[in-house]
Amino acid sequence: RGAVRANDIFVVRYDAEAGQPNLRVHTDSSHLSFNILLNDEFEGGGTRFHHRIDKSHIDIHPEVGETLLSHAMIFHEGLPTTKGTRYILVGFDSIDEKDPLTGESTNLSIFSSWLNFSWMQIRFHEGFEDGNKNRRKRNRAMAESAEVDGIGHWKDNRYATSLFRDLDNAMTWLCDKFAPFRTAQLVKTNDFDAYINVMDKAMEERTQKEQELGIRRSRASGYSSWFKGQNINLD
């Protein structure tokens, strides 16, 4: 749990009359993506997930309040809202070995990281993207005869970047071929309140136990990294 870090959380509006009614096929820049449907005063909409290999797709139409959680590298799109306005809360989450700001270990299991094809796929994709970005930065600096800090790492070498690209493509194919996505409803709609109550009770018991033992809340002790003190006004 402590390995989860929220990269970004925001509200998306799809409008059938004015603005953007849909979102084309894409992947997200994270390990996990989620969206929560916030209203039902619309027609159409939903999320379509695409299989890269057999070109089939699955359409998901959540109820208000339901969370749709998926691997961020699955091809997906926001289907057109044909009437009214559709609001969803979207979040991008990373699964970290170490906190990128503090360097604190998250105690992420090796089975959830370097022995997990989905996790490795994201790491190699990040290596490819970061290497390309830093090489472009270095080339601009050389053209301007300027010195730029933070470049020149071995991972920015064009051969390393090409290797990351090939490993990213290989992991993507392996995941698509041998671990195709499917859908599953983890919590039934009628059980929402009971589920939240059980989670709240478990958190209260955990907090009390940690206070008794003097355990500090941290990512190493299993607390995810979320935005603190942020509010979203939906009016």
Side-chain angles (χ1 to χ4, degrees):
R1 291 173 298 184
V4 179
R5 172 173 54 87
N7 279 333
D8 204 359
I9 300 177
F10 52 94
V11 173
V12 174
R13 168 178 170 166
Y14 294 111
D15 198 305
E17 303 297 331
Q20 180 178 340
N22 67 302
L23 185 61
R24 65 182 181 179
V25 177
H26 63 285
T27 60
D28 297 324
S29 299
S30 59
H31 287 86
L32 299 174
S33 302
F34 70 84
N35 71 69
I36 303 172
L37 183 62
L38 300 179
N39 72 316
D40 57 7
E41 295 85 17
F42 65 90
E43 294 180 6
T47 303
R48 173 171 292 176
F49 293 94
H50 295 266
H51 287 282
R52 290 182 178 88
I53 294 180
D54 64 13
K55 308 302 180 184
S56 63
H57 64 263
I58 297 176
D59 293 346
I60 307 294
H61 300 276
E63 300 290 333
V64 174
E66 286 187 330
T67 300
L68 180 59
L69 179 68
S70 65
H71 188 276
M73 294 304 293
I74 297 174
F75 274 151
H76 60 284
E77 63 179 301
L79 295 173
T81 297
T82 56
K83 183 178 179 180
T85 303
R86 173 174 173 251
Y87 292 95
I88 58 174
L89 181 70
V90 176
F92 300 150
D93 296 338
S94 289
I95 309 299
D96 297 326
E97 291 177 288
K98 292 183 178 181
D99 189 297
L101 300 178
T102 66
E104 176 187 18
S105 171
T106 65
N107 291 330
L108 181 65
S109 166
I110 184 102
F111 296 103
S112 299
S113 54
W114 292 109
L115 294 181
N116 183 303
F117 279 6
S118 296
W119 188 88
M120 286 194 293
Q121 176 190 8
I122 302 296
R123 288 302 300 269
F124 292 139
H125 183 77
E126 290 174 343
F128 171 61
E129 294 291 338
D130 290 345
N132 268 340
K133 180 180 67 176
N134 289 334
R135 283 179 57 220
R136 289 194 296 268
K137 185 177 180 181
R138 182 181 60 198
N139 290 338
R140 287 197 302 270
M142 292 175 62
E144 298 171 359
S145 298
E147 294 185 3
V148 179
D149 294 332
I151 60 176
H153 194 277
W154 69 267
K155 291 186 293 185
D156 304 335
N157 181 282
R158 66 188 180 96
Y159 297 108
T161 302
S162 296
L163 176 61
F164 285 133
R165 179 201 59 205
D166 294 341
L167 289 171
D168 174 24
N169 291 334
M171 285 298 169
T172 298
W173 184 87
L174 287 171
C175 289
D176 289 345
K177 181 66 176 179
F178 298 106
F181 66 84
R182 61 185 181 88
T183 61
Q185 187 174 17
L186 301 183
V187 181
K188 294 182 178 179
T189 305
N190 294 334
D191 294 335
F192 281 175
D193 290 340
Y195 176 79
I196 294 299
N197 290 336
V198 168
M199 296 292 286
D200 286 344
K201 182 178 179 181
M203 188 63 193
E204 291 175 0
E205 293 175 350
R206 176 180 177 178
T207 299
Q208 181 178 357
K209 186 71 173 180
E210 289 175 342
Q211 289 175 345
E212 293 174 355
L213 297 175
I215 298 175
R216 181 181 64 87
R217 288 192 177 189
S218 67
R219 300 192 69 179
S221 61
Y223 284 90
S224 303
S225 176
W226 296 92
F227 297 107
K228 295 182 179 180
Q230 292 202 26
N231 296 297
I232 299 177
N233 187 342
L234 301 181
D235 293 335

